[in-house]
Amino acid sequence: MEKNANAAMLSNYEVFKLLTDLKEQRKDSGKNKHSAGQQNLNTIMYETLKYLSKMPCSRQSPDIVKDFLTTMMPHKLTKAEKLQLLNHRPQTAVEIQLMVEESEERLSEEQIEELIQTVADALPGDPEQENAAPADAEMEEANEQP
Amino acid sequence: MFVLVEMVDTVRIPPWNFQRQLNDAIAEELNKKLANKVVYNVGLCICLYDITKLDDSYIFPGDGASHTKVHFRYVVFHPFLDEILVGKIKYCSQEGVHVTMGFFDDILIPPESLQQPAKFDEAEQVWLWEYETDEGAHDLYMDQGEEIRFRVTDEVFVDTSPTGPAAAATDTPAQPGQSTAPPAEGSGEKKEPPYTLIGTICEPGLGLLSWWNN
């Protein structure tokens, strides 16, 4: 079996979408999926979907990903860095420093704050987590609305 | 975390599946062969992404099935070096902290890569971080089931193909990559996982999520 081991990197969202669509398709196929040969596929699909549904990718869409990448262009990050930001949706400076190499040299503190804000705006967050956020954060947003 | 791998392989369709659409029959065979299996030096295969090219199908003498050379792309779990991942602690042992991601289990964080100073509590079989502040030392326990953020520092592929007398050099897929099924009991031999990730949490921001969330 020949292979080209690194044709492309996939974001968590793309894999999540692929597996969700595959699951829909297989629901209609009926008894086929319970045969011994299909068990491996069922197991890996179930576990991977379980993992991905708890990550930010479950709340993303192709437009969100496209807009996110466009907004990220001026920051001059590598592909791997943008991918990690997209997959993890970091909310603190410490997380950004983990994902962006040599962030102390490439980004000032303001730029890091800006990056956190862009990520929070471009990518939808966990609704449960956001409801627990302090009331003054919501008040700030209300003040900004025209 | 996931990559697309382009592969070429010959797929055998038995005659009783001839009534199905060729693409569907081939997709099913490929998933049967590769899903949830580790391919040596490639990673843990998840599922088929698409079929890019189908060559002509041939029937060989003595075998009623059709053989088709297929060019396809497969979704593979293969984190790159230094990637940040989030998993759950499976258990702790002298070898370090074992982390699982549900679909992939063989992740180890060795003792030297834990937040220092670290100590192993024999009684509870758990690693802990002796965190010093001005107020004194806090012992932060790394309990089972806790979510943990780590960085990938190394990967180890082991070729688990059976070694026959004429050790053939074919890349057959190895055993299933994740072990939710009970491990081989009582066989006495230690089975090496075909694909292991080594991680580190020795950096600010890494370790249990609860340590860094305000």
Side-chain angles (χ1 to χ4, degrees):
Chain A
M1 180 165 53
E2 306 151 34
K3 42 195 165 293
N4 167 14
N6 237 323
M9 295 196 332
L10 290 175
S11 67
N12 286 6
Y13 167 69
E14 288 170 277
V15 178
F16 179 72
K17 176 124 195 332
L18 182 73
L19 290 175
T20 328
D21 290 346
L22 189 61
K23 193 166 105 163
E24 277 304 312
Q25 248 181 40
R26 299 183 83 231
K27 242 190 234 180
D28 311 324
S29 81
K31 56 188 169 178
N32 210 9
K33 57 193 174 175
H34 290 297
S35 68
Q38 298 295 312
Q39 207 41 48
N40 267 325
L41 181 62
N42 292 343
T43 310
I44 192 76
M45 271 177 62
Y46 170 72
E47 294 285 350
T48 312
L49 275 175
K50 197 163 91 166
Y51 177 82
L52 290 177
S53 54
K54 299 214 203 82
M55 304 232 72
C57 65
S58 57
R59 294 176 286 274
Q60 292 166 359
S61 75
D63 290 328
I64 293 182
V65 176
K66 198 165 72 156
D67 292 338
F68 174 76
L69 290 173
T70 326
T71 334
M72 281 291 136
M73 278 194 334
H75 292 277
K76 297 206 185 46
L77 300 170
T78 67
K79 193 157 80 156
E81 289 165 355
K82 284 187 276 198
L83 183 64
Q84 290 196 88
L85 295 180
L86 179 64
N87 284 345
H88 289 269
R89 193 179 182 264
Q91 295 173 303
T92 61
V94 139
E95 289 171 74
I96 301 262
Q97 281 163 356
L98 283 176
M99 296 174 195
V100 177
E101 257 179 84
E102 303 191 355
S103 53
E104 315 86 58
E105 295 168 18
R106 286 158 65 191
L107 302 170
S108 68
E109 264 194 50
E110 303 168 345
Q111 284 177 313
I112 295 189
E113 278 303 317
E114 214 187 289
L115 204 53
I116 297 179
Q117 200 49 52
T118 321
V119 165
D121 292 334
L123 304 175
D126 187 356
E128 279 177 18
Q129 206 190 39
E130 266 154 30
N131 286 339
D136 38 284
E138 292 178 311
M139 295 245 307
E140 259 183 71
E141 269 187 43
N143 287 339
E144 280 175 35
Q145 302 281 337
Chain B
M1 211 184 301
F2 299 102
V3 290
L4 218 49
V5 178
E6 284 170 353
M7 303 197 230
V8 183
D9 198 14
T10 308
V11 175
R12 177 183 183 271
I13 308 287
W16 47 91
N17 280 338
F18 280 176
Q19 85 282 7
R20 304 181 62 191
Q21 288 292 326
L22 185 61
N23 284 37
D24 296 339
I26 289 189
E28 190 183 308
E29 285 300 315
L30 287 174
N31 277 328
K32 213 190 285 195
K33 180 173 179 186
L34 292 173
N36 202 18
K37 305 250 174 81
V38 172
V39 176
Y40 186 58
N41 280 341
V42 172
L44 173 68
C45 295
I46 309 286
C47 74
L48 181 69
Y49 185 74
D50 64 3
I51 297 175
T52 45
K53 185 165 138 191
L54 281 176
D55 290 345
D56 292 332
S57 306
Y58 291 92
I59 296 187
F60 297 112
D63 182 7
S66 75
H67 294 77
T68 321
K69 190 156 158 192
V70 187
H71 298 243
F72 59 97
R73 292 188 290 188
Y74 219 84
V75 177
V76 175
F77 171 69
H78 188 192
F80 53 87
L81 192 62
D82 290 342
E83 183 171 356
I84 304 290
L85 294 176
V86 175
K88 283 208 169 107
I89 297 185
K90 198 161 74 166
Y91 65 94
C92 297
S93 75
Q94 290 286 5
E95 302 166 340
V97 179
H98 299 254
V99 180
T100 174
M101 291 172 74
F103 59 93
F104 184 72
D105 262 5
D106 303 303
I107 303 172
L108 177 68
I109 305 183
E112 53 274 13
S113 306
L114 297 174
Q115 293 273 12
Q116 299 300 332
K119 206 174 70 171
F120 186 58
D121 184 340
E122 286 290 345
E124 300 191 28
Q125 289 287 299
V126 73
W127 280 96
L128 52 95
W129 179 23
E130 291 168 323
Y131 182 55
E132 293 267 343
T133 57
D134 304 321
E135 295 141 13
H138 295 274
D139 281 347
L140 296 169
Y141 282 79
M142 303 183 68
D143 294 318
Q144 219 179 39
E146 290 285 345
E147 292 200 314
I148 182 172
R149 188 184 291 131
F150 61 97
R151 189 193 286 282
V152 176
T153 51
D154 198 10
E155 62 186 21
V156 183
F157 280 104
V158 175
D159 189 1
T160 50
S161 354
T163 47
T170 42
D171 296 290
T172 38
Q175 290 115 32
Q178 60 114 219
S179 36
T180 42
E185 303 105 77
S187 64
E189 303 169 10
K190 185 148 180 261
K191 269 210 227 165
E192 281 263 16
Y195 179 33
T196 319
L197 287 176
I198 312 290
T200 178
I201 54 168
C202 201
E203 273 175 65
L206 297 179
L208 264 58
L209 297 189
S210 54
W211 293 348
W212 304 98
N213 289 344
N214 296 349

